[in-house]
Amino acid sequence: MKLKVYTKDGSKFVEQEFEAIPQFEGDKGVFALKETLVAYRANARQGNASTLDYGEVSGTCRKPFKQKGGGRSRHGTMKSPIHRGGAVVFGPQPRDWSKKINKRVKSLAFNRALFDKCSEESLCIIEQFEAPEVKTKAVAALLGRIVPEGKVLLIDDTFEDNFVKAGRNLERVSFCESSSLSAMELVGSDKIIVSRKGFDTVLARANKE
């Protein structure tokens, strides 16, 4: 599969063949990718939403007024759900939303996400990320030459401090190290720019897993 490889300043590129990119036919791996993304989002949920049921609401259980003769509806307690400050019917309770992701499914999802991004030409390579000065304007100009618009994910083995400081103020830009890259990051970005060194690490992970 051919990908664009840009120079450090993003002014020029050449197309290069990469044989180590995972290959898929049809819908293979799509379901694994979907299940993995659902699990990632579920595992990020805190699950601490809580409401008070009838037995937990503070207050007296005394009958507020007599059963008959008052011309009002019959009530046994003010803790009833129909009263203000009363119990909540079928309200949320703390729970564990986490889902277990099988290692092979997680690996298949990662490879499928990588294949999709490469097939859609949403992933390109840069020789190296560097910023001689801590200037956001310089990083914005670099990204503008490669990816004029949309959310951009930058991937490298280790980013230079100057480059991160210069690029972190750009709202559409996010950073990720190649060793911690997941299918969620791949799918969640419109475009991906990865350093050559970082892409070697990503391909090694894809073929090892």
Side-chain angles (χ1 to χ4, degrees):
M1 187 180 296
K2 288 186 177 181
L3 297 176
K4 293 180 180 179
V5 181
Y6 286 83
T7 56
K8 290 189 291 186
D9 60 358
S11 59
K12 299 178 182 178
F13 72 87
V14 294
E15 290 192 348
Q16 183 176 336
E17 186 75 27
F18 292 89
E19 297 181 355
I21 298 174
Q23 300 293 317
F24 291 88
E25 294 183 0
D27 294 336
K28 182 179 179 182
V30 173
F31 183 73
L33 178 57
K34 181 255 183 185
E35 288 295 301
T36 301
L37 295 180
V38 169
Y40 275 129
R41 293 191 176 99
N43 294 344
R45 297 184 68 172
Q46 292 182 343
N48 56 3
S50 179
T51 55
L52 300 179
D53 63 21
Y54 193 89
E56 296 171 325
V57 175
S58 62
T60 178
C61 292
R62 178 179 60 84
K63 191 173 177 64
F65 44 81
K66 63 180 184 178
Q67 182 82 348
K68 296 182 178 181
R72 295 176 289 184
S73 300
R74 294 167 287 184
H75 293 291
T77 174
M78 296 302 292
K79 295 168 63 174
S80 171
I82 67 175
H83 291 297
R84 181 180 178 85
V88 177
V89 180
F90 304 126
Q93 295 292 320
R95 59 172 292 185
D96 181 12
W97 290 94
S98 64
K99 294 177 178 290
K100 183 179 180 298
I101 312 175
N102 184 282
K103 185 176 180 180
R104 294 181 65 182
V105 173
K106 187 177 180 180
S107 172
L108 179 60
F110 179 82
N111 289 356
R112 178 70 202 204
L114 179 62
F115 168 76
D116 287 343
K117 286 298 179 182
C118 294
S119 300
E120 298 165 0
E121 298 184 353
S122 298
L123 184 147
C124 61
I125 300 170
I126 191 170
E127 288 292 342
Q128 182 183 351
F129 291 113
E130 65 175 12
E133 298 180 282
V134 185
K135 295 289 186 180
T136 301
K137 185 177 180 180
V139 176
L142 167 65
L143 299 180
R145 287 189 286 269
I146 302 175
V147 182
E149 57 185 15
K151 294 173 63 178
V152 184
L153 174 66
L154 307 183
I155 304 171
D156 199 353
D157 277 355
T158 304
F159 288 97
E160 294 182 357
D161 290 341
N162 284 352
F163 189 84
V164 175
K165 290 177 181 177
R168 64 189 178 186
N169 288 334
L170 298 172
E171 185 178 359
R172 71 189 187 103
V173 175
S174 56
F175 298 87
C176 182
E177 293 188 353
S178 52
S179 59
S180 61
L181 181 67
S182 69
M184 177 66 76
E185 281 86 15
L186 289 172
V187 173
S189 298
D190 299 327
K191 299 289 183 178
I192 298 173
I193 305 176
V194 55
S195 68
R196 183 181 286 274
K197 190 175 181 180
F199 194 58
D200 290 339
T201 302
V202 171
L203 290 180
R205 283 185 55 194
N207 290 294
K208 179 181 178 180
E209 296 174 355

